[in-house]
mmCIF file with all atom_site columns, all heavy atoms in Angstrom:
data_model
loop_
_atom_site.group_PDB
_atom_site.id
_atom_site.type_symbol
_atom_site.label_atom_id
_atom_site.label_alt_id
_atom_site.label_comp_id
_atom_site.label_asym_id
_atom_site.label_entity_id
_atom_site.label_seq_id
_atom_site.pdbx_PDB_ins_code
_atom_site.Cartn_x
_atom_site.Cartn_y
_atom_site.Cartn_z
_atom_site.occupancy
_atom_site.B_iso_or_equiv
_atom_site.pdbx_formal_charge
_atom_site.auth_seq_id
_atom_site.auth_comp_id
_atom_site.auth_asym_id
_atom_site.auth_atom_id
_atom_site.pdbx_PDB_model_num
ATOM 1   N N   . LEU A 1 27 ? 44.789 -8.208  80.498 1.00 0.00 ? 41 LEU A N   1
ATOM 2   C CA  . LEU A 1 27 ? 44.393 -9.605  80.607 1.00 0.00 ? 41 LEU A CA  1
ATOM 3   C C   . LEU A 1 27 ? 43.824 -10.042 79.265 1.00 0.00 ? 41 LEU A C   1
ATOM 4   O O   . LEU A 1 27 ? 42.899 -9.412  78.747 1.00 0.00 ? 41 LEU A O   1
ATOM 5   C CB  . LEU A 1 27 ? 43.310 -9.796  81.676 1.00 0.00 ? 41 LEU A CB  1
ATOM 6   C CG  . LEU A 1 27 ? 42.678 -11.194 81.705 1.00 0.00 ? 41 LEU A CG  1
ATOM 7   C CD1 . LEU A 1 27 ? 43.616 -12.187 82.368 1.00 0.00 ? 41 LEU A CD1 1
ATOM 8   C CD2 . LEU A 1 27 ? 41.335 -11.182 82.386 1.00 0.00 ? 41 LEU A CD2 1
ATOM 9   N N   . LEU A 1 37 ? 39.186 -15.730 74.335 1.00 0.00 ? 51 LEU A N   1
ATOM 10  C CA  . LEU A 1 37 ? 37.806 -15.287 74.236 1.00 0.00 ? 51 LEU A CA  1
ATOM 11  C C   . LEU A 1 37 ? 37.788 -14.030 73.365 1.00 0.00 ? 51 LEU A C   1
ATOM 12  O O   . LEU A 1 37 ? 38.730 -13.234 73.397 1.00 0.00 ? 51 LEU A O   1
ATOM 13  C CB  . LEU A 1 37 ? 37.230 -15.005 75.619 1.00 0.00 ? 51 LEU A CB  1
ATOM 14  C CG  . LEU A 1 37 ? 37.189 -16.217 76.568 1.00 0.00 ? 51 LEU A CG  1
ATOM 15  C CD1 . LEU A 1 37 ? 36.583 -15.828 77.910 1.00 0.00 ? 51 LEU A CD1 1
ATOM 16  C CD2 . LEU A 1 37 ? 36.426 -17.377 75.950 1.00 0.00 ? 51 LEU A CD2 1
ATOM 17  N N   . THR A 1 38 ? 36.750 -13.862 72.590 1.00 0.00 ? 52 THR A N   1
ATOM 18  C CA  . THR A 1 38 ? 36.711 -12.750 71.631 1.00 0.00 ? 52 THR A CA  1
ATOM 19  C C   . THR A 1 38 ? 35.624 -11.737 71.939 1.00 0.00 ? 52 THR A C   1
ATOM 20  O O   . THR A 1 38 ? 35.399 -10.812 71.158 1.00 0.00 ? 52 THR A O   1
ATOM 21  C CB  . THR A 1 38 ? 36.514 -13.298 70.202 1.00 0.00 ? 52 THR A CB  1
ATOM 22  O OG1 . THR A 1 38 ? 35.311 -14.067 70.165 1.00 0.00 ? 52 THR A OG1 1
ATOM 23  C CG2 . THR A 1 38 ? 37.686 -14.163 69.772 1.00 0.00 ? 52 THR A CG2 1
ATOM 24  N N   . THR A 1 39 ? 34.945 -11.910 73.061 1.00 0.00 ? 53 THR A N   1
ATOM 25  C CA  . THR A 1 39 ? 33.946 -10.930 73.484 1.00 0.00 ? 53 THR A CA  1
ATOM 26  C C   . THR A 1 39 ? 34.200 -10.570 74.940 1.00 0.00 ? 53 THR A C   1
ATOM 27  O O   . THR A 1 39 ? 34.845 -11.309 75.676 1.00 0.00 ? 53 THR A O   1
ATOM 28  C CB  . THR A 1 39 ? 32.512 -11.482 73.353 1.00 0.00 ? 53 THR A CB  1
ATOM 29  O OG1 . THR A 1 39 ? 32.387 -12.656 74.147 1.00 0.00 ? 53 THR A OG1 1
ATOM 30  C CG2 . THR A 1 39 ? 32.182 -11.806 71.899 1.00 0.00 ? 53 THR A CG2 1
ATOM 31  N N   . GLY A 1 40 ? 33.670 -9.433  75.355 1.00 0.00 ? 54 GLY A N   1
ATOM 32  C CA  . GLY A 1 40 ? 33.812 -8.982  76.729 1.00 0.00 ? 54 GLY A CA  1
ATOM 33  C C   . GLY A 1 40 ? 32.591 -9.316  77.541 1.00 0.00 ? 54 GLY A C   1
ATOM 34  O O   . GLY A 1 40 ? 31.885 -10.282 77.273 1.00 0.00 ? 54 GLY A O   1
ATOM 35  N N   . GLY A 1 41 ? 32.354 -8.508  78.569 1.00 0.00 ? 55 GLY A N   1
ATOM 36  C CA  . GLY A 1 41 ? 31.168 -8.666  79.389 1.00 0.00 ? 55 GLY A CA  1
ATOM 37  C C   . GLY A 1 41 ? 31.400 -9.281  80.741 1.00 0.00 ? 55 GLY A C   1
ATOM 38  O O   . GLY A 1 41 ? 30.471 -9.375  81.541 1.00 0.00 ? 55 GLY A O   1
ATOM 39  N N   . SER A 1 42 ? 32.634 -9.687  81.014 1.00 0.00 ? 56 SER A N   1
ATOM 40  C CA  . SER A 1 42 ? 32.933 -10.284 82.325 1.00 0.00 ? 56 SER A CA  1
ATOM 41  C C   . SER A 1 42 ? 33.431 -9.214  83.289 1.00 0.00 ? 56 SER A C   1
ATOM 42  O O   . SER A 1 42 ? 33.865 -8.144  82.882 1.00 0.00 ? 56 SER A O   1
ATOM 43  C CB  . SER A 1 42 ? 33.989 -11.370 82.190 1.00 0.00 ? 56 SER A CB  1
ATOM 44  O OG  . SER A 1 42 ? 33.512 -12.439 81.394 1.00 0.00 ? 56 SER A OG  1
ATOM 45  N N   . THR A 1 61 ? 39.028 -1.700  82.443 1.00 0.00 ? 75 THR A N   1
ATOM 46  C CA  . THR A 1 61 ? 38.300 -1.376  81.232 1.00 0.00 ? 75 THR A CA  1
ATOM 47  C C   . THR A 1 61 ? 38.077 -2.650  80.424 1.00 0.00 ? 75 THR A C   1
ATOM 48  O O   . THR A 1 61 ? 39.034 -3.378  80.138 1.00 0.00 ? 75 THR A O   1
ATOM 49  C CB  . THR A 1 61 ? 39.088 -0.357  80.370 1.00 0.00 ? 75 THR A CB  1
ATOM 50  O OG1 . THR A 1 61 ? 39.264 0.829   81.130 1.00 0.00 ? 75 THR A OG1 1
ATOM 51  C CG2 . THR A 1 61 ? 38.356 -0.042  79.081 1.00 0.00 ? 75 THR A CG2 1
ATOM 52  N N   . ASP A 1 62 ? 36.842 -2.911  80.062 1.00 0.00 ? 76 ASP A N   1
ATOM 53  C CA  . ASP A 1 62 ? 36.488 -4.029  79.192 1.00 0.00 ? 76 ASP A CA  1
ATOM 54  C C   . ASP A 1 62 ? 36.625 -3.520  77.762 1.00 0.00 ? 76 ASP A C   1
ATOM 55  O O   . ASP A 1 62 ? 35.848 -2.691  77.315 1.00 0.00 ? 76 ASP A O   1
ATOM 56  C CB  . ASP A 1 62 ? 35.053 -4.473  79.482 1.00 0.00 ? 76 ASP A CB  1
ATOM 57  C CG  . ASP A 1 62 ? 34.576 -5.626  78.626 1.00 0.00 ? 76 ASP A CG  1
ATOM 58  O OD1 . ASP A 1 62 ? 35.249 -5.974  77.636 1.00 0.00 ? 76 ASP A OD1 1
ATOM 59  O OD2 . ASP A 1 62 ? 33.503 -6.167  78.933 1.00 0.00 ? 76 ASP A OD2 1
ATOM 60  N N   . VAL A 1 63 ? 37.629 -4.007  77.045 1.00 0.00 ? 77 VAL A N   1
ATOM 61  C CA  . VAL A 1 63 ? 37.880 -3.545  75.677 1.00 0.00 ? 77 VAL A CA  1
ATOM 62  C C   . VAL A 1 63 ? 36.825 -4.099  74.719 1.00 0.00 ? 77 VAL A C   1
ATOM 63  O O   . VAL A 1 63 ? 36.573 -3.527  73.665 1.00 0.00 ? 77 VAL A O   1
ATOM 64  C CB  . VAL A 1 63 ? 39.314 -3.915  75.242 1.00 0.00 ? 77 VAL A CB  1
ATOM 65  C CG1 . VAL A 1 63 ? 39.614 -3.456  73.826 1.00 0.00 ? 77 VAL A CG1 1
ATOM 66  C CG2 . VAL A 1 63 ? 40.336 -3.313  76.209 1.00 0.00 ? 77 VAL A CG2 1
ATOM 67  N N   . GLY A 1 64 ? 36.169 -5.190  75.104 1.00 0.00 ? 78 GLY A N   1
ATOM 68  C CA  . GLY A 1 64 ? 35.089 -5.745  74.299 1.00 0.00 ? 78 GLY A CA  1
ATOM 69  C C   . GLY A 1 64 ? 35.490 -6.871  73.372 1.00 0.00 ? 78 GLY A C   1
ATOM 70  O O   . GLY A 1 64 ? 34.661 -7.444  72.684 1.00 0.00 ? 78 GLY A O   1
ATOM 71  N N   . ASP A 1 65 ? 36.792 -7.178  73.341 1.00 0.00 ? 79 ASP A N   1
ATOM 72  C CA  . ASP A 1 65 ? 37.275 -8.220  72.430 1.00 0.00 ? 79 ASP A CA  1
ATOM 73  C C   . ASP A 1 65 ? 37.951 -9.380  73.167 1.00 0.00 ? 79 ASP A C   1
ATOM 74  O O   . ASP A 1 65 ? 38.769 -10.093 72.601 1.00 0.00 ? 79 ASP A O   1
ATOM 75  C CB  . ASP A 1 65 ? 38.243 -7.617  71.408 1.00 0.00 ? 79 ASP A CB  1
ATOM 76  C CG  . ASP A 1 65 ? 39.488 -7.027  72.063 1.00 0.00 ? 79 ASP A CG  1
ATOM 77  O OD1 . ASP A 1 65 ? 39.603 -7.033  73.316 1.00 0.00 ? 79 ASP A OD1 1
ATOM 78  O OD2 . ASP A 1 65 ? 40.374 -6.553  71.311 1.00 0.00 ? 79 ASP A OD2 1
ATOM 79  N N   . GLY A 1 66 ? 37.624 -9.518  74.451 1.00 0.00 ? 80 GLY A N   1
ATOM 80  C CA  . GLY A 1 66 ? 38.254 -10.561 75.261 1.00 0.00 ? 80 GLY A CA  1
ATOM 81  C C   . GLY A 1 66 ? 39.462 -10.068 76.025 1.00 0.00 ? 80 GLY A C   1
ATOM 82  O O   . GLY A 1 66 ? 40.107 -10.837 76.726 1.00 0.00 ? 80 GLY A O   1
ATOM 83  N N   . THR A 1 67 ? 39.789 -8.778  75.888 1.00 0.00 ? 81 THR A N   1
ATOM 84  C CA  . THR A 1 67 ? 40.875 -8.211  76.668 1.00 0.00 ? 81 THR A CA  1
ATOM 85  C C   . THR A 1 67 ? 40.330 -7.183  77.653 1.00 0.00 ? 81 THR A C   1
ATOM 86  O O   . THR A 1 67 ? 39.311 -6.529  77.399 1.00 0.00 ? 81 THR A O   1
ATOM 87  C CB  . THR A 1 67 ? 41.980 -7.566  75.796 1.00 0.00 ? 81 THR A CB  1
ATOM 88  O OG1 . THR A 1 67 ? 41.404 -6.532  75.006 1.00 0.00 ? 81 THR A OG1 1
ATOM 89  C CG2 . THR A 1 67 ? 42.650 -8.586  74.902 1.00 0.00 ? 81 THR A CG2 1
ATOM 90  N N   . TYR A 1 68 ? 41.041 -7.055  78.749 1.00 0.00 ? 82 TYR A N   1
ATOM 91  C CA  . TYR A 1 68 ? 40.677 -6.137  79.825 1.00 0.00 ? 82 TYR A CA  1
ATOM 92  C C   . TYR A 1 68 ? 41.956 -5.424  80.244 1.00 0.00 ? 82 TYR A C   1
ATOM 93  O O   . TYR A 1 68 ? 43.016 -6.056  80.327 1.00 0.00 ? 82 TYR A O   1
ATOM 94  C CB  . TYR A 1 68 ? 40.076 -6.910  81.011 1.00 0.00 ? 82 TYR A CB  1
ATOM 95  C CG  . TYR A 1 68 ? 38.823 -7.671  80.640 1.00 0.00 ? 82 TYR A CG  1
ATOM 96  C CD1 . TYR A 1 68 ? 38.896 -8.912  80.014 1.00 0.00 ? 82 TYR A CD1 1
ATOM 97  C CD2 . TYR A 1 68 ? 37.573 -7.138  80.888 1.00 0.00 ? 82 TYR A CD2 1
ATOM 98  C CE1 . TYR A 1 68 ? 37.749 -9.601  79.645 1.00 0.00 ? 82 TYR A CE1 1
ATOM 99  C CE2 . TYR A 1 68 ? 36.413 -7.821  80.527 1.00 0.00 ? 82 TYR A CE2 1
ATOM 100 C CZ  . TYR A 1 68 ? 36.511 -9.051  79.903 1.00 0.00 ? 82 TYR A CZ  1
ATOM 101 O OH  . TYR A 1 68 ? 35.379 -9.732  79.543 1.00 0.00 ? 82 TYR A OH  1
ATOM 102 N N   . THR A 1 69 ? 41.872 -4.131  80.499 1.00 0.00 ? 83 THR A N   1
ATOM 103 C CA  . THR A 1 69 ? 43.066 -3.378  80.876 1.00 0.00 ? 83 THR A CA  1
ATOM 104 C C   . THR A 1 69 ? 42.814 -2.574  82.143 1.00 0.00 ? 83 THR A C   1
ATOM 105 O O   . THR A 1 69 ? 41.680 -2.253  82.494 1.00 0.00 ? 83 THR A O   1
ATOM 106 C CB  . THR A 1 69 ? 43.500 -2.408  79.759 1.00 0.00 ? 83 THR A CB  1
ATOM 107 O OG1 . THR A 1 69 ? 42.458 -1.455  79.538 1.00 0.00 ? 83 THR A OG1 1
ATOM 108 C CG2 . THR A 1 69 ? 43.814 -3.147  78.465 1.00 0.00 ? 83 THR A CG2 1
#
Side-chain angles (χ1 to χ4, degrees):
L41 171 77
L51 299 181
T52 58
T53 59
S56 296
T75 299
D76 180 349
V77 180
D79 62 358
T81 59
Y82 300 81
T83 62

